[in-house]
């Protein structure tokens, strides 16, 4: 059996030594720094690991721009957790990070205690849908490579999916400015290797999942509210929480409600 190549993942571990480990996984365009606002609420009760996923933040290869797959990234994440030296952990993932969390839980189920999936799904069901999405992701990757990154990021957040961010233009602009500090080659590689089109369908695995899972969506994100309801109905171990005052990026738009909800779930309430 050929083992996958493993990317280097930059990470930071904070919080209570010896407490249960929680690993936070950001979305596309993000970084480990995305969790800075809510992390202080978790650190007294948990050991917290925040990770830069491949192509983002400080996890950008300088010698290669080849895309890393979900399997390679999941393997790297498990190796990182083995270095922390804990037998099991909980995963909190947003969007792309939620898709990765679901994938890790599917292949390393015995290691995962609890799952928090924010604005995430088990993927596209058919190969035709995935092929169309891969073509779309390739077009986006070329836009990143050939254009100005700041313009790409601004256009990304003009999608209807992020319309709720417009209620606070100053906060939205600060988010966009932070996103524009990413690497163009890293983001392009991420779209090709970990985009929605590259993800296998995990709906069958989700149906038999027994890991307690909290599905978090924003009330103003109807697409993922509908997906969340479908996921809740399809897995007995899951429950859906719809957060008011938020769209797709719940932990950023309503950090207080998100923190209260997720912390209680991770503590077993």
């Amino acid at each position: 059996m050929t083992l996958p190549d493993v990317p280097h993942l930059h990470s930071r571990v904070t919080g209570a030594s010896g407490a249960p480990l929680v690993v936070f996984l950001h979305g596309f365009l993000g970084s480990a720094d995305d969790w800075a606002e809510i992390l202080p609420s978790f650190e007294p009760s948990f050991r917290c690991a925040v990770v830069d996923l491949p192509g983002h933040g400080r996890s950008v290869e300088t010698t290669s721009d080849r895309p890393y797959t979900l399997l390679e990234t999941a393997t790297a994440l498990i190796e990182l957790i083995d270095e922390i030296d804990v037998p099991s952990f909980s995963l909190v993932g947003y969007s792309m990070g939620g898709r990765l969390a679901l994938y890790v839980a599917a292949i390393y189920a015995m290691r995962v205690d609890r799952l928090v999936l924010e604005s995430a799904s088990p993927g596209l069901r058919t190969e035709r849908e995935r092929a169309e999405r891969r073509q779309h992701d390739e077009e986006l990757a070329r836009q990143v490579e050939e254009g100005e990154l700041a313009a790409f990021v601004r256009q990304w957040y003009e999608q209807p999916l992020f319309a709720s961010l417009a209620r606070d233009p100053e906060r939205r602009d600060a988010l966009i400015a932070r996103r524009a500090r990413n690497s163009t080659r890293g983001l392009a590689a991420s779209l090709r290797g970990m985009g929605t089109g590259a993800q296998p369908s995990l709906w069958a695995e989700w149906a038999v999942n027994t890991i307690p899972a909290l599905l978090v969506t924003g009330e103003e994100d109807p697409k993922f509210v509908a997906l969340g309801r479908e996921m809740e109905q399809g897995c007995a171990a899951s429950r859906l929480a719809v957060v008011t005052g938020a769209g797709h990026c719940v932990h950023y738009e309503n950090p207080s409600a998100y923190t209260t909800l997720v912390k209680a779930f991770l503590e077993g309430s």
Side-chain angles (χ1 to χ4, degrees):
M1 178 180 178
T2 302
L3 294 175
D5 291 335
V6 175
H8 169 74
L9 298 180
H10 180 274
S11 64
R12 185 173 71 257
V13 180
T14 62
S17 178
L21 178 68
V22 181
V23 182
F24 293 81
L25 305 173
H26 63 79
F28 179 63
L29 293 175
S31 73
D33 296 337
D34 286 3
W35 306 103
E37 185 174 11
I38 68 168
L39 218 55
S41 298
F42 291 88
E43 289 170 332
S45 304
F46 300 98
R47 201 174 184 187
C48 304
V50 291
V51 181
D52 286 331
L53 296 178
H56 295 76
R58 292 160 288 271
S59 295
V60 178
E61 298 286 346
T62 57
T63 58
S64 171
D65 56 3
R66 101 174 168 81
Y68 286 105
T69 65
L70 280 169
L71 175 58
E72 292 162 339
T73 305
T75 302
L77 188 64
I78 291 297
E79 289 190 359
L80 187 155
I81 291 165
D82 286 344
E83 290 176 6
I84 300 173
D85 195 21
V86 294
S88 65
F89 54 91
S90 292
L91 283 169
V92 175
Y94 161 64
S95 197
M96 178 183 74
R99 291 191 289 106
L100 174 62
L102 224 172
Y103 185 84
V104 171
I107 61 175
Y108 294 102
M110 298 300 292
R111 301 287 303 273
V112 180
D113 298 321
R114 287 179 174 254
L115 270 176
V116 177
L117 306 174
E118 175 192 352
S119 304
S121 88
L124 301 172
R125 282 190 165 92
T126 69
E127 178 51 38
R128 180 177 178 179
E129 290 175 300
R130 291 191 292 275
E132 291 175 352
R133 184 55 186 257
R134 284 195 297 273
Q135 183 177 356
H136 176 68
D137 290 343
E138 178 59 31
E139 291 170 1
L140 288 175
R142 289 177 181 171
Q143 287 180 33
V144 171
E145 292 171 324
E146 297 169 3
E148 181 189 13
L149 182 55
F152 174 86
V153 174
R154 183 162 291 278
Q155 183 179 355
W156 181 266
Y157 283 104
E158 288 174 353
Q159 295 181 85
L161 191 65
F162 300 104
S164 56
L165 290 172
R167 76 159 62 88
D168 190 340
E170 185 176 343
R171 189 165 164 81
R172 180 193 61 188
D173 289 348
L175 178 69
I176 290 171
R178 191 165 74 239
R179 299 291 193 251
R181 293 198 290 266
N182 268 302
S183 155
T184 54
R185 67 186 294 182
L187 294 179
S190 175
L191 283 164
R192 290 178 176 126
M194 290 184 59
T196 304
Q199 175 186 330
S201 172
L202 297 173
W203 283 98
E205 289 81 357
W206 177 246
V208 296
N209 169 68
T210 58
I211 301 167
L214 175 66
L215 311 173
V216 182
T217 61
E219 184 181 45
E220 297 168 50
D221 182 7
K223 174 183 176 180
F224 277 85
V225 170
L227 267 170
R229 287 178 179 145
E230 187 177 1
M231 290 175 68
E232 183 183 39
Q233 291 170 2
C235 174
S238 70
R239 68 177 179 89
L240 172 65
V242 180
V243 178
T244 59
H248 191 67
C249 193
V250 184
H251 70 275
Y252 186 75
E253 297 176 64
N254 195 340
S256 177
Y258 178 88
T259 298
T260 300
L261 185 68
V262 172
K263 191 165 180 284
F265 172 73
L266 293 176
E267 289 173 341
S269 303

